[in-house]
Every structure is written in structure tokens, then in C-alpha cells.
Amino acid sequence: MYEFYEKTFDRSALRRNRKLLNRLYDEIPETSGCLDNIAKENGCGGWCCKYQSPQVMYSEFLNTWHNVMRNWAPERTTKLVMSAVIGYLDSDQNPGCIFFDAENKTCQTHQHRPYNCRVYAQTPDEEFQPRLARLKVLYPEKEYRDQCNLVETVGKKPTKDEMDLWFHHLNLIEKELLGKNAPIHDKEGGTYRTYRDHLLLKVGSAKFLLQLTKMKLKGTTEQKEQFLIDLEKRLLKSLTMEKETTH
């Protein structure tokens, strides 16, 4: 079901994927106000990043993961993965994006952020409101807000037609990497998932997720604590070896 996580890609294909994504991202207008207002007394506190997590194409995840594996120390990468695991076991502890640094109120991957983060607060209401209504039906237990009014588009705000075209191009980039039959959806087996899901499936496996689910549903507090201690040790050792191999 998640075979694409096991697939090994040619380096030239991954370089082309990153190039195509960056070309697409360059077409999207920049915004101002987000990073300026996060830490202010009357600012947002990074609400959207702290309590929400963007849906990300697998090709976008690989773009971000490439930067992590090249530039992050094994200890920092291990901390990121453990954040994803803890969030999966107990979503109340970490319901938002795993790349949001709540202590410093910063995005740890801002330069490599995905499409949905780039268009946030720029999406026309006729596009955004139906999405918001659908999410409220699918996940009624969560809190939702309109797009941030502290963020402004630098230049001309994009139209719905422009955004539809960009998203179409994003789908084409995904299909070029994974094949024309790539399962581009947010249901089970799909490539359009949160960073947390992508990371757990990439670093672990579908079997690992089943193990986590079993621990989440049936594990005692003591069992979960010991599981996390053992997992962190294994992850640090594995990621250290992998980074030594790739450098």
C-alpha cells in the first residue's frame, strides 16, 4: 500500500524533482507579516503551525527530508522523529506541524516549506471556505480558524485560477517522480499526507505504524515510556550511520 516509501530513486530524478518544485514555488507570491508577528505580544503565537499540520505531497516531503539529512545533526533529526512519534501516540502533546519550534516560535524548514504553507493566507475565500467546511465535518473535534489576517501578499494576490494551475503542476511533479498512477489523495495509501505521517512511514514502515497504533491503543503509560526510550536510542544509532554513509 505504501510501496513508494520503499522505492529508491535515481539521484538525477531527485535533483530534477527539487528543481521543478523550486520553479513552482518561485511562481507563488511571497508574503509578509507571518514571521514578524509570531513572537509579538499581540501576535498569533504561531497558532496555525502549533495546532495544524499542512498536507504535503511525497515529492515535497523528499525535498524537505533532503535538506534535513544533508544539514541536520543526527541528534536534531532524532528529536524531530521522536516528536512525530510522540504526536502519533498522543496528539494532545503535539497536534501541529513537527517542524514548528514552539519554544522559539520559528519554522525549522521555512526555506523548504511546502506548497500549502506558501499559499496560506493567500487562498481566495471561494477556494478556502469549502475546504474549511469539509475539514469541520471530517474532524469536528479540532479547532479551526479563518486564514491569518496578519499575513499579506507581497504584490498581487493570486486568483483561484492561478492556484488551481499551480496545484495541477504540483500533481504533475508528483506523478513524474512516482509514476502516472501515483495515489495522490489523503486517504490510506495516499501520497498527500502530513509531514508527521510521511516521516513515520519513511523512517519506519507501515509495519512500524501498526506497532505504534497498537502501543497507542493498548500500551500502558510505563510501556509507552520504555518504548520511547528504546526507540530514541535505536533511531540515533541508525540516523548516525545513515548520515555517515550519505556524506
Side-chain angles (χ1 to χ4, degrees), residues 18 30 34 73 136 155 158 181 240 242:
R18 294 192 293 272
E30 292 289 335
C34 179
K136 288 180 177 178
N181 295 319
T240 299
E242 186 173 350

Side-chain angles (χ1 to χ4, degrees), residues 45-79:
W47 184 91
C48 62
C49 304
K50 187 176 181 180
Y51 295 106
Q52 300 181 108
S53 187
Q55 297 290 104
V56 181
M57 294 290 187
Y58 184 56
S59 55
E60 294 187 286
F61 165 76
L62 289 178
N63 180 47
T64 304
W65 188 239
H66 173 76
N67 175 62
V68 169
M69 293 303 291
R70 278 178 60 92
N71 299 310
W72 287 30
E75 294 78 9
R76 187 183 179 193
T77 308
T78 300
K79 184 178 179 180

Side-chain angles (χ1 to χ4, degrees), residues 5-6 58 61-62 65 68-69 77-78 80-82 84-85 98 195-206 208-209 231 234-236 238-239 242:
Y5 287 103
E6 307 293 333
Y58 184 56
F61 165 76
L62 289 178
W65 188 239
V68 169
M69 293 303 291
T77 308
T78 300
L80 178 74
V81 179
M82 291 305 297
V85 171
I98 59 173
Y195 268 132
R196 185 180 70 190
D197 288 351
H198 279 307
L199 185 55
L200 293 177
L201 286 162
K202 179 65 176 177
V203 175
S205 61
F208 176 63
L209 268 187
L231 177 62
R234 294 199 307 270
L235 275 173
L236 180 56
S238 174
L239 288 169
E242 186 173 350

Side-chain angles (χ1 to χ4, degrees), residues 21-139:
L21 284 173
N22 288 329
R23 186 182 298 170
L24 171 63
Y25 294 157
D26 285 343
E27 294 182 23
I28 302 170
E30 292 289 335
T31 59
S32 64
C34 179
L35 299 181
D36 300 326
N37 286 288
I38 282 180
K40 285 184 177 179
E41 184 176 346
N42 296 321
C44 63
W47 184 91
C48 62
C49 304
K50 187 176 181 180
Y51 295 106
Q52 300 181 108
S53 187
Q55 297 290 104
V56 181
M57 294 290 187
Y58 184 56
S59 55
E60 294 187 286
F61 165 76
L62 289 178
N63 180 47
T64 304
W65 188 239
H66 173 76
N67 175 62
V68 169
M69 293 303 291
R70 278 178 60 92
N71 299 310
W72 287 30
E75 294 78 9
R76 187 183 179 193
T77 308
T78 300
K79 184 178 179 180
L80 178 74
V81 179
M82 291 305 297
S83 172
V85 171
I86 292 169
Y88 187 84
L89 292 177
D90 185 358
S91 58
D92 289 338
Q93 289 193 45
N94 186 14
C97 181
I98 59 173
F99 282 103
F100 181 62
D101 184 339
E103 182 178 349
N104 297 307
K105 293 183 172 61
T106 56
C107 172
Q108 299 183 81
T109 188
H110 186 75
Q111 185 178 350
H112 300 88
R113 66 196 185 280
Y115 172 82
N116 278 328
C117 292
R118 294 172 188 270
V119 299
Y120 182 70
Q122 300 195 78
T123 307
D125 275 349
E126 64 265 30
E127 179 84 5
F128 181 80
Q129 292 303 328
R131 290 188 198 171
L132 185 62
R134 178 173 177 267
L135 287 173
K136 288 180 177 178
V137 171
L138 292 174
Y139 310 104

Side-chain angles (χ1 to χ4, degrees), residues 55 57 182-193:
Q55 297 290 104
M57 294 290 187
I184 304 175
H185 55 74
D186 58 1
K187 299 179 179 62
E188 189 174 6
T191 70
Y192 192 48
R193 318 192 68 78

